[in-house]
Amino acid sequence: MGVRPNVVVIGAGFGGLSVARGLADKPVEVTLIDRQNFTTFQPLLYQVATSGLNAADVAHPVRGLFHEQANLRFRRAEVTGVDWDARQVELLGQRPVPFDHLVVAAGATATWFGISGAEEWGLPLYTLDDARRLRNHIVERFEAADAQPDLIDEGALTFVVVGGGPTGVETAGALAELVAVVFRRDYPHLDVGRAHVVLVEARDALLAPFSPGSQLHAAETLAARQVDVRVGESVAEVGPRHVRLGSGAVIPTQTVVWAAGVRANPLAEMMGLPTGKGGRVVVEPELTVPDRPGAWAIGDIAAPAGRKGDPLPQLAPVAMQSGAHVARQIGRLLDGRRPQPFKFHDKGTMATIGRRAAVAELPGGIRLRGTLAWLAWLFLHLLYLAGVRNRASVLLNWAWSYVTWDRGPRLILRPDLGTDHPYPPGSTEAPTDASTGAPADEQT
Ligand SMILES: Cc1cc2nc3c(=O)[nH]c(=O)nc-3n(C[C@H](O)[C@H](O)[C@H](O)COP(=O)(O)OP(=O)(O)OC[C@H]3O[C@@H](n4cnc5c(N)ncnc54)[C@H](O)[C@@H]3O)c2cc1C
């Protein structure tokens, strides 16, 4: 038997896992590389941030997913670049890994749009550490306000969520519920009624990819749950104690949740891949990278074209389907056949707003709202979550919360995860601009 080609996959997210699984029965050796030893189910991060789920419920060790796949090797490492001449991937502090095929599936990262103070003071929600940091911070603000109620006047209990896409809507809805239902009981001596959740969206409507009916439903449902929805309002500046809007309005706040959008992982540029809007890798219809033989890019880091030529959205189904496609095309190449173009099958889109409230738009013009959409959302998220144990734990948490109106882990764990933030753990003091540095990099 000859030497089997090496396929290196960068990233063990939705896209990378899908390629790796698709190569299980192919005559190749797969090396799957990720800087974390776990995969994260990003669609449920907002529930970790708002004390609905444990961090471990939405993550799964990568090695545990491949016990049965003999041709796969996992490597925990940070990819720093690629040597195209030597055809090897460069890793931080480890030996390079040679490849015959390279699949880049390194995802995306938060983008700040150059808004003054946003990166310094905003709290993104992209990684598990982001979610835990945000949870710590939210609970800390309540503890601080309980110890010193005049902090409420300085925005300690005002939570501004920037970005009215699905992540912003879900986070604002969950935060409003956490405050109204759980914190009201947790802090009986605090005037929790003065807590305030504001959702700011620059476009004229929430949930941009949805129909006007669903957008309106989301806005009305949030408003009924005491979320202050401000559409057509941009953020001009973020500071340690305030947000200034484009209209000039200033909101005193100590919490700005940044859900305003993503850009492709800068690794694409570090690797010398051709990039376009949002830093996304330019790909051929087959998902190969032009002028980089053997290289493929999938998921959030890439910009595959949809039917009308526009780039497909940065969503989990695109990542999963493009991953499966690349695995099939590598198989075709090994059989001496030409690769085929990628065709995305849109199975619809959905967003949850809160308890028994969601919107879902399915092929064939089917539109669901309210409880039915919410149940569909719960079911699909359980289905795609990695690991039976995680599914059981999430289901139990959801059932418990539904029946008792209680929330799970509103614990301030690993307080060090909060020390890089403007409001360090336990502090009742809000800092001035000069008293703190920029947030540390993502923690591993
Ligand atoms: C908060 C949030 C909510 C979302 N909700 C939804 C939703 O409801 N529905 C939906 O369809 N989509 C949702 N998405 C989008 C969806 O999660 C992404 O489209 C999907 O994760 C993209 O998959 P991917 O494989 O391209 O990247 P990812 O899943 O992000 O995986 C990238 C992997 O690459 C690794 N990596 C990155 N850089 C390096 C490096 N230098 N070296 C080694 N490893 C590296 C990362 O650790 C990560 O594991 C949401 C995203 C977020 C952030």
Side-chain angles (χ1 to χ4, degrees):
M1 195 171 74
V3 177
R4 287 155 51 115
N6 287 323
V7 181
V8 172
V9 180
I10 304 174
F14 283 102
L17 291 181
S18 174
V19 187
R21 287 180 176 128
L23 292 169
D25 60 354
K26 306 277 186 291
V28 293
E29 294 300 326
V30 183
T31 306
L32 175 59
I33 304 174
D34 202 294
R35 60 184 170 201
Q36 308 284 9
N37 78 331
F38 54 85
T39 184
T40 306
F41 192 78
Q42 288 171 337
L44 290 179
L45 281 179
Y46 83 95
Q47 295 207 3
V48 176
T50 55
S51 299
L53 292 172
N54 290 296
D57 293 340
V58 304
H60 197 287
V62 179
R63 290 178 188 277
L65 297 171
F66 291 100
H67 288 168
E68 311 299 327
Q69 191 167 332
N71 72 344
L72 183 134
R73 198 189 158 132
F74 176 68
R75 180 80 74 89
R76 185 190 176 207
E78 172 96 25
V79 175
T80 52
V82 61
D83 182 335
W84 292 105
D85 295 327
R87 294 185 75 71
Q88 53 190 21
V89 172
E90 292 161 347
L91 307 177
L92 186 68
Q94 296 187 26
R95 284 196 192 143
V97 180
F99 66 84
D100 298 295
H101 288 277
L102 176 62
V103 187
V104 186
T109 180
T111 183
W112 311 97
F113 303 109
I115 294 170
S116 169
E119 185 168 4
E120 200 176 0
W121 307 106
L123 290 156
L125 188 54
Y126 202 79
T127 65
L128 200 56
D129 282 342
D130 291 341
R132 291 199 303 177
R133 187 182 292 122
L134 181 53
R135 182 184 74 200
N136 283 349
H137 176 77
I138 292 166
V139 185
E140 278 288 358
R141 288 303 84 209
F142 273 86
E143 292 297 337
D146 193 51
Q148 197 179 317
D150 54 351
L151 285 179
I152 301 177
D153 295 329
E154 296 175 21
L157 298 188
T158 299
F159 302 91
V160 178
V161 181
V162 182
T167 301
V169 165
E170 290 171 350
T171 307
L175 204 44
E177 272 177 19
L178 177 69
V179 172
V181 179
V182 182
F183 284 166
R184 195 177 292 281
R185 287 186 288 171
D186 277 358
Y187 298 92
H189 305 295
L190 182 65
D191 188 359
V192 173
R194 292 182 63 201
H196 189 196
V197 180
V198 187
L199 177 60
V200 181
E201 165 57 47
R203 291 193 185 92
D204 287 335
L206 301 177
L207 298 180
F210 287 78
S211 65
S214 298
Q215 293 173 341
L216 190 64
H217 179 73
E220 286 175 353
T221 307
L222 285 174
R225 295 175 186 210
Q226 313 308 323
V227 176
D228 177 356
V229 179
R230 303 198 189 183
V231 291
E233 235 340 340
S234 57
V235 169
E237 180 200 84
V238 181
R241 299 164 183 244
H242 74 280
V243 162
R244 190 164 54 78
L245 303 180
S247 61
V250 174
I251 305 173
T253 179
Q254 299 177 5
T255 310
V256 177
V257 183
W258 200 256
V262 296
R263 57 159 285 123
N265 189 325
L267 184 64
E269 279 136 23
M270 286 158 63
M271 294 175 75
L273 298 172
T275 55
K277 200 173 169 208
R280 294 167 78 179
V281 179
V282 175
V283 286
E284 307 279 12
E286 297 79 10
L287 305 184
T288 48
V289 181
D291 303 324
R292 295 292 186 200
W296 312 73
I298 59 166
D300 281 5
I301 203 169
R307 280 210 184 126
K308 293 179 188 157
D310 290 341
L312 289 167
Q314 287 160 298
L315 289 173
V318 177
M320 286 189 287
Q321 289 184 33
S322 57
H325 173 83
V326 167
R328 283 194 301 273
Q329 305 322 304
I330 290 175
R332 284 178 69 87
L333 284 171
L334 295 176
D335 292 343
R337 292 183 291 164
R338 291 171 63 81
Q340 295 175 316
F342 172 58
K343 284 193 194 120
F344 176 61
H345 300 287
D346 188 356
K347 295 176 187 159
T349 176
M350 48 178 63
T352 184
I353 307 163
R355 188 184 178 88
R356 296 179 66 173
V359 288
E361 300 196 345
L362 309 174
I366 300 170
R367 293 192 177 141
L368 307 177
R369 284 180 203 158
T371 306
L372 196 57
W374 183 67
L375 289 172
W377 182 93
L378 293 179
F379 174 75
L380 270 183
H381 281 69
L382 271 185
L383 193 71
Y384 285 113
L385 192 61
V388 177
R389 190 176 171 281
N390 285 16
R391 285 184 204 145
S393 175
V394 168
L395 185 60
L396 185 68
N397 264 290
W398 284 348
W400 181 261
S401 299
Y402 187 76
V403 174
T404 63
W405 290 83
D406 198 3
R407 287 283 174 99
R410 43 197 189 280
L411 314 175
I412 303 170
L413 289 177
R414 293 275 314 271
D416 54 300
L417 280 176
T419 51
D420 58 348
H421 192 268
Y423 307 95
S427 83
T428 51
E429 292 292 311
T432 60
D433 282 279
S435 68
T436 180
D441 284 337
E442 183 188 37
Q443 320 210 1
T444 53

